[in-house]
Amino acid sequence: MAKSKFYAVRVGQTPGVYLTWADCQAQINHYSGAQYKSFPTRAEAEAFLTGSTTTARRPHRTKSSPSTAAVETKADIVVYTDGGNRNTGNVQGGQVKPTDRSAWAFQMSAAGQTVTGTSGEWGATNNRMEIMALLQALNYLLETQQANTTILVIMDSKYVLDAIQKGWLSGWKKRGWRRAGDKPLANSELWKIIDGELTQFTKLSFKWVKGHATTTGNNLVDELLNQTMDQMKTGQPIPAKNATAKLPGRPVTALQGDLFATTRTSTSAAAIKRPTTPKAKPADTAELGHFNSEHAQQASIDAMSEIAKNWRND
């Protein structure tokens, strides 16, 4: 099902057309204001480079990007999440088929460093993957001890954001994880986990952006999850990276590329090296010299007694 793509980098390390997402990513990672897009044909990609396409006009970019960038600068960690699927039953009344590929992805950045996570499922809905992306990102942050850090999560899913920001989540919880009218709640097992994760953060905020537009981070996670779906093969393990949440029947990985390891290590080292008031320590027997045994101590006492006796006789 994977289709050939041409990745056009209009603004980046080295502008040009690239044939793989990995090559494209190398040109845009850590490049402020990068402009890029994937196309089904080389002609469209080259047209994007010369600016002869209206896919990403600068006036629109100038209007939307500054607000997102301004919000990002107030956070210590910026997280992008996204989920998607390739629904072959995507027609009126059609449903996701068990053989349809689905995937989620997150990207988080802090102090100029970036880490990503992604994996997939067979036959999952788009909403489930959007929920899973947030769940896995929050789990990674908790695993790396960032619950008290100022964090901004950016996504294009109004469904997930409305559940959190409009109180739907608390309403479902009060009704025993059911919707209004005692209707079943899809993916309730995931919402329960997210509810537990959210209560552990002290400085967590959210922002919505339009999907498939000009927000670099949002496009990055979209490309990442599509790359995961490209790699999914029937009968083979599903690719997984930083899928740290323990969920029944789902791949679980260890932390890969711990974004905050250096920070935690340096903090610990500083704590160890912090000056402290010296405390008196018991004398080490090795430092007592000839007093290192009872026999030696008695011999020393006898010698001192003999000296005193001689001094008195004199």
Side-chain angles (χ1 to χ4, degrees):
M1 293 178 62
K3 298 180 180 179
S4 298
K5 288 184 178 180
F6 296 88
Y7 300 90
V9 178
R10 182 157 61 188
V11 178
Q13 303 288 353
T14 305
V17 176
Y18 297 87
L19 301 182
T20 68
W21 168 238
D23 290 340
C24 172
Q25 196 172 27
Q27 309 308 317
I28 59 178
N29 273 358
H30 312 306
Y31 192 98
S32 178
Q35 295 181 29
Y36 68 97
K37 190 173 180 61
S38 64
F39 296 92
T41 66
R42 178 179 286 275
E44 291 175 285
E46 291 178 346
F48 177 77
L49 291 180
T50 60
S52 57
T53 175
T54 58
T55 303
R57 294 176 297 175
R58 183 167 293 277
H60 176 74
R61 183 178 180 86
T62 302
K63 179 181 179 180
S64 63
S65 294
S67 59
T68 301
V71 175
E72 285 186 17
T73 59
K74 298 179 181 180
D76 295 320
I77 303 172
V78 178
V79 181
Y80 283 91
T81 68
D82 198 14
N85 72 338
R86 294 177 182 171
N87 185 357
T88 58
N90 194 13
V91 294
Q92 186 67 30
Q95 301 295 322
V96 176
K97 297 179 180 179
T99 54
D100 288 345
R101 292 173 171 84
S102 311
W104 57 266
F106 69 73
Q107 173 193 273
M108 55 186 69
S109 302
Q113 300 298 314
T114 300
V115 70
T116 59
T118 183
S119 190
E121 295 182 23
W122 293 99
T125 63
N126 185 82
N127 278 346
R128 180 178 177 83
M129 292 294 92
E130 294 279 10
I131 300 168
M132 186 69 81
L134 176 60
L135 185 157
Q136 294 284 2
L138 295 179
N139 190 80
Y140 180 97
L141 290 165
L142 291 174
E143 289 281 349
T144 52
Q145 306 169 27
Q146 301 303 311
N148 296 317
T149 306
T150 303
I151 302 168
L152 172 66
V153 179
I154 303 173
M155 65 179 72
D156 60 19
S157 173
K158 284 187 174 293
Y159 170 66
V160 174
L161 283 181
D162 286 349
I164 297 171
Q165 297 180 319
K166 293 187 176 182
W168 299 356
L169 189 59
S170 60
W172 297 334
K173 185 177 182 179
K174 290 178 181 178
R175 290 188 288 270
W177 299 105
R178 309 272 300 176
R179 292 189 298 151
D182 199 34
K183 296 178 181 179
L185 173 64
N187 304 305
S188 60
E189 78 282 9
L190 302 185
W191 283 120
K192 291 178 184 178
I193 296 173
I194 284 184
D195 178 63
E197 291 176 330
L198 289 174
T199 60
Q200 300 181 61
F201 290 91
T202 59
K203 303 173 185 177
L204 183 65
S205 59
F206 294 88
K207 179 178 174 58
W208 176 84
V209 294
K210 183 178 180 181
H212 310 288
T214 58
T215 306
T216 302
N218 180 258
N219 288 331
L220 279 168
V221 287
D222 178 71
E223 291 288 354
L224 182 57
L225 70 87
N226 272 284
Q227 187 178 44
T228 297
M229 288 191 283
D230 288 343
Q231 296 171 352
M232 291 173 64
K233 307 295 180 184
T234 304
Q236 296 183 15
I238 297 175
K241 177 183 180 183
N242 282 322
T244 57
K246 296 177 176 61
L247 301 170
R250 299 289 175 255
V252 178
T253 70
L255 287 175
Q256 298 167 267
D258 185 349
L259 183 62
F260 312 105
T262 303
T263 302
R264 285 202 302 276
T265 301
S266 60
T267 300
S268 299
I272 293 172
K273 296 178 180 178
R274 187 179 298 130
T276 57
T277 302
K279 294 182 180 180
K281 65 175 182 176
D284 188 344
T285 56
E287 297 175 355
L288 293 176
H290 62 285
F291 295 111
N292 198 24
S293 69
E294 291 183 5
H295 176 74
Q297 293 178 39
Q298 187 60 50
S300 180
I301 293 172
D302 292 343
M304 292 299 292
S305 297
E306 184 66 25
I307 292 172
K309 181 179 178 182
N310 293 335
W311 177 76
R312 285 197 299 271
N313 293 333
D314 290 343

